């Protein structure tokens, strides 16, 4: 039987009051239980909120560099365990070892980055218009923050929420996704070993309907940061803002890459393939639409089809692309493939479950490419959280931009072009929070803001970099007349 992992509340590892647990299985081999976790309820979440509230003042009053020392030590502990965590991430979420290792390193780098940032925190000194007056701002922690994180980046996203929240002096409540909570659990273990005070960080695993709702509505909570689907995010937003909590929502995407007639087709195909099929298409920034100039359309279709068909599928420790995370995610992807065919799109690559002895038990789907896609088709409008690409022909840049922006999402978008006029117009006119030129829609630097437009975000606060600290702090302006 797999080991049972506990919640972390008030500095103690505890079991859920519900007495229930849930198994997390390997998506490459669902007969293998990786770990068993607490299936907690609202009462468990409320107990954690009480612990965070009790710890918030003392943790907020701790000198910021001292908080940074704990974050740095936690990052070092994660670094020492990188190989172990890489294997855990692959086992629970399904990423390849290369993808999982990169994500673990990202979490390490984030903790080290925000550890350094603690030495520059505090506020700004301004010039007063009056005599004998000091004028300055003081940045203070918001208080207790709830972090609700998804399964598709199960260590990077908890890290980029937790590290700035703790650096700023907030007490943290963390609810990782039930599908792959192990990597977030490992972060909390590292913080515990690094000496974080009791109650400053708390982790409760369990369903969003119980734990997530309590974390969004509990009176002790001052702010809520959520990453996940737009449908769930909008529910959390409504719950949290009912009593005017500060909210940060990062949600879905329908991310395009525009391929113009000046582009190198092979380079464009490499860029789109990386964005569409990397991490099995299970990224909010994944490329799901290729909007292609008609002059290079046929050549691009040939090239992207070749890229899709060359990908070797299987368990993440040996192959190019791993499984989808659960059977329900696989079924959702296959359903969208059926819908696309019913709507008249042409399937030119993939479209089914691959065959092979090493594929019999896992949640695998082939990298899939559709052509002859119209922008009003569901395959072009709705988020498909899998390796499915819709290729849409356009006559010129103006039509490409119109198609690009004609969706309810606005997370990431890229342009492959050597035309400087198109490049500068695209940067100005695209409706997306992340804009890439001659790069894939996926891939983010940790020191610059991340967030979307429209239904991809609450459009309130950005994550990462200095912007990541803004959400977790509140300013006082001080007039000191001497």
């Amino acid at each position: 039987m797999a080991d049972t992992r506990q919640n972390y509340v008030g500095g103690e590892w505890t079991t859920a009051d519900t007495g229930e647990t849930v198994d997390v299985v390997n998506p490459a081999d669902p007969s293998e239980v990786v770990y068993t976790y607490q299936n907690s309820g609202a009462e468990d979440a409320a107990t954690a909120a009480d612990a965070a509230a009790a710890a918030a003042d003392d943790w907020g009053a701790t000198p910021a560099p001292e908080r940074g020392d704990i974050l740095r030590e936690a990052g070092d502990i994660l670094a020492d365990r990188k190989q172990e965590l890489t294997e855990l991430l692959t086992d629970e979420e399904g990423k390849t070892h290369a993808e999982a290792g990169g994500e673990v390193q990202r979490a390490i780098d984030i903790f080290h980055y925000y550890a350094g940032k603690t030495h520059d925190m505090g506020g700004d000194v301004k010039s007063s218009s009056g005599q004998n007056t000091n004028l300055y701002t003081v940045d203070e922690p918001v208080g207790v923050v709830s972090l609700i994180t998804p399964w598709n980046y199960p260590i990077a996203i908890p890290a980029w929420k937790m590290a700035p929240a703790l650096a700023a002096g907030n007490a943290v409540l963390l609810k990782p996704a039930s599908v792959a909570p192990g990597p977030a659990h490992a972060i909390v273990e590292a913080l515990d070993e690094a000496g974080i005070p009791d109650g400053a960080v708390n982790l409760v695993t369990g369903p969003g309907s119980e734990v997530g709702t309590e974390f969004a509505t509990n009176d002790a909570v001052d702010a809520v940061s959520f990453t996940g689907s737009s449908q769930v995010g909008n529910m959390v937003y409504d719950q949290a803002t009912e009593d005017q909590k500060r909210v940060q929502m990062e949600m879905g995407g329908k991310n395009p890459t525009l391929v113009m007639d000046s582009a190198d087709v092979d380079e464009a195909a490499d860029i789109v393939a990386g964005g569409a099929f990397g991490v099995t298409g299970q990224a909010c920034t994944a490329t799901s639409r290729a909007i292609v100039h008609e002059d290079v359309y046929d050549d691009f279709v040939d090239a992207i089809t070749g890229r899709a068909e060359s990908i070797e599928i299987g368990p993440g420790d040996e192959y190019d692309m791993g499984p989808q995370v659960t059977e329900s995610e696989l079924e959702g992807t296959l359903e969208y493939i059926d819908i696309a065919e019913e709507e008249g799109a042409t399937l030119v690559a993939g479209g089914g479950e691959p065959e092979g002895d090493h594929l019999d038990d896992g949640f695998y789907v082939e990298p899939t490419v559709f052509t002859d896609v119209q922008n009003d088709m569901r395959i072009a409008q709705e988020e498909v959280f899998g390796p499915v690409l819709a290729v849409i022909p356009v006559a010129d840049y103006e039509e490409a931009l119109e198609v690009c922006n004609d969706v309810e999402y606005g997370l990431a978008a890229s342009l492959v072009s050597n035309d400087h006029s198109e490049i500068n117009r695209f940067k100005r006119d695209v409706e997306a929070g992340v804009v890439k030129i001659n790069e894939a829609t996926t891939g983010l630097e940790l020191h610059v803001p991340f967030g979307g437009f429209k239904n991809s975000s609450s459009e309130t606060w950005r994550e990462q970099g200095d912007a990541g600290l803004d959400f977790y702090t509140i300013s006082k302006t001080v007039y000191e007349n001497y």
Side-chain angles (χ1 to χ4, degrees):
M1 183 177 178
D3 291 341
T4 299
R5 317 307 295 272
Q6 295 178 300
N7 293 332
Y8 185 75
V9 177
E12 300 289 337
W13 295 102
T14 64
T15 56
D17 288 343
T18 62
E20 299 176 1
T21 58
V22 61
D23 293 337
V24 170
V25 302
N26 185 338
D29 181 6
S31 66
E32 176 192 342
V33 176
V34 183
Y35 283 115
T36 299
Y37 295 89
Q38 304 301 309
N39 193 33
S40 311
E43 290 186 6
D44 298 298
T47 299
D50 289 342
D57 287 347
D58 285 346
W59 178 241
T62 300
E66 186 176 330
R67 298 196 297 262
D69 289 342
I70 293 173
L71 296 185
R72 185 175 295 101
E73 176 65 18
D76 291 344
I77 292 169
L78 294 175
D80 289 341
R81 298 175 183 169
K82 181 178 177 180
Q83 183 59 36
E84 171 192 340
L85 295 176
T86 295
E87 293 173 0
L88 172 62
L89 202 159
T90 293
D91 287 347
E92 286 197 351
E93 197 271 347
K95 282 187 173 74
T96 68
H97 272 194
E99 293 165 344
E103 183 180 340
V104 173
Q105 186 61 52
R106 176 60 169 264
I108 295 164
D109 293 343
I110 287 169
F111 269 87
H112 288 159
Y113 173 81
Y114 282 108
K117 281 290 182 183
T118 58
H119 291 272
D120 295 325
M121 297 179 66
D124 297 310
V125 176
K126 301 293 183 180
S127 295
S128 172
S129 58
Q131 293 289 334
N132 304 323
T133 301
N134 294 325
L135 180 62
Y136 54 93
T137 65
V138 177
D139 293 335
E140 296 186 349
V142 173
V144 175
V145 298
S146 293
L147 313 179
I148 302 173
T149 61
W151 52 260
N152 61 319
Y153 283 91
I155 195 166
I157 293 178
W160 83 45
K161 293 181 188 291
M162 293 174 71
L166 293 169
N170 298 278
V172 165
L173 300 170
L174 174 64
K175 193 209 90 66
S178 298
V179 171
H185 200 277
I187 293 178
V188 174
E189 288 177 336
L191 286 164
D192 178 56
E193 292 182 33
I196 197 162
D198 295 350
V201 65
N202 305 271
L203 175 144
V204 180
T205 55
S209 59
E210 292 281 336
V211 178
T213 296
E214 184 65 27
F215 278 1
T217 60
N218 189 281
D219 289 342
V221 173
D222 300 291
V224 179
S225 180
F226 168 91
T227 299
S229 71
S230 298
Q231 179 182 10
V232 176
N234 288 328
M235 291 171 54
V236 172
Y237 182 93
D238 290 342
Q239 292 170 342
T241 56
E242 188 170 343
D243 59 355
Q244 298 184 327
K245 288 179 172 58
R246 182 179 290 204
V247 294
Q248 177 186 65
M249 302 281 138
E250 296 303 337
M251 302 182 285
K254 193 64 184 172
N255 311 295
T257 293
L258 282 61
V259 180
M260 294 292 98
D261 56 338
S262 64
D264 179 287
V265 171
D266 284 332
E267 179 186 8
D270 287 339
I271 288 170
V272 172
F277 308 132
V279 298
T280 320
Q282 297 179 138
C284 56
T285 55
T287 307
S288 59
R289 295 182 294 153
I291 301 169
V292 183
H293 194 288
E294 60 188 13
D295 288 352
V296 295
Y297 181 83
D298 289 340
D299 289 342
F300 176 83
V301 169
D302 289 342
I304 195 66
T305 299
R307 303 299 192 279
E309 292 175 342
S310 70
I311 293 172
E312 295 186 4
I313 307 167
D317 55 349
E318 297 182 43
Y319 292 88
D320 300 332
M321 191 180 87
Q324 297 218 247
V325 70
T326 62
E327 185 174 16
S328 63
E329 288 293 330
L330 171 62
E331 290 173 349
T333 298
L334 293 172
E335 181 180 358
Y336 268 109
I337 290 170
D338 290 340
I339 290 169
E341 291 189 281
E342 291 168 3
E343 289 187 327
T346 300
L347 179 66
V348 296
E353 297 175 78
E355 297 180 353
D357 292 342
H358 65 289
L359 301 167
D360 289 344
D361 298 322
F363 306 130
Y364 297 103
V365 64
E366 296 169 324
T368 298
V369 178
F370 281 101
T371 61
D372 304 316
V373 176
Q374 301 299 315
N375 206 47
D376 58 354
M377 292 180 179
R378 290 179 63 184
I379 196 72
Q381 290 290 321
E382 299 177 13
E383 185 174 40
V384 183
F385 223 58
V388 179
L389 177 69
V391 185
I392 304 171
V394 292
D396 51 30
Y397 172 80
E398 286 71 22
E399 184 182 1
L401 183 68
E402 181 180 354
V403 170
C404 168
N405 288 336
D406 186 24
V407 290
E408 66 180 47
Y409 298 103
L411 187 53
S414 71
L415 170 73
V416 184
S417 173
N418 290 313
D419 184 317
H420 287 283
S421 176
E422 289 175 350
I423 290 169
N424 285 302
R425 292 170 65 192
F426 183 73
K427 291 185 293 185
R428 180 191 66 203
D429 297 333
V430 66
E431 296 171 356
V434 177
V435 182
K436 301 283 199 75
I437 307 299
N438 297 321
E439 288 190 20
T441 56
T442 51
L444 305 168
E445 298 271 6
L446 63 85
H447 60 290
V448 290
F450 170 64
F453 291 178
K454 299 188 283 189
N455 206 27
S456 291
S457 171
S458 55
E459 297 187 354
T460 47
W461 309 85
R462 293 312 199 208
E463 297 192 278
Q464 304 197 114
D466 290 330
L469 290 166
D470 292 343
F471 176 70
Y472 298 107
T473 57
I474 192 164
S475 293
K476 289 179 178 176
T477 301
V478 179
Y479 296 79
E480 182 182 302
N481 192 310
Y482 56 86

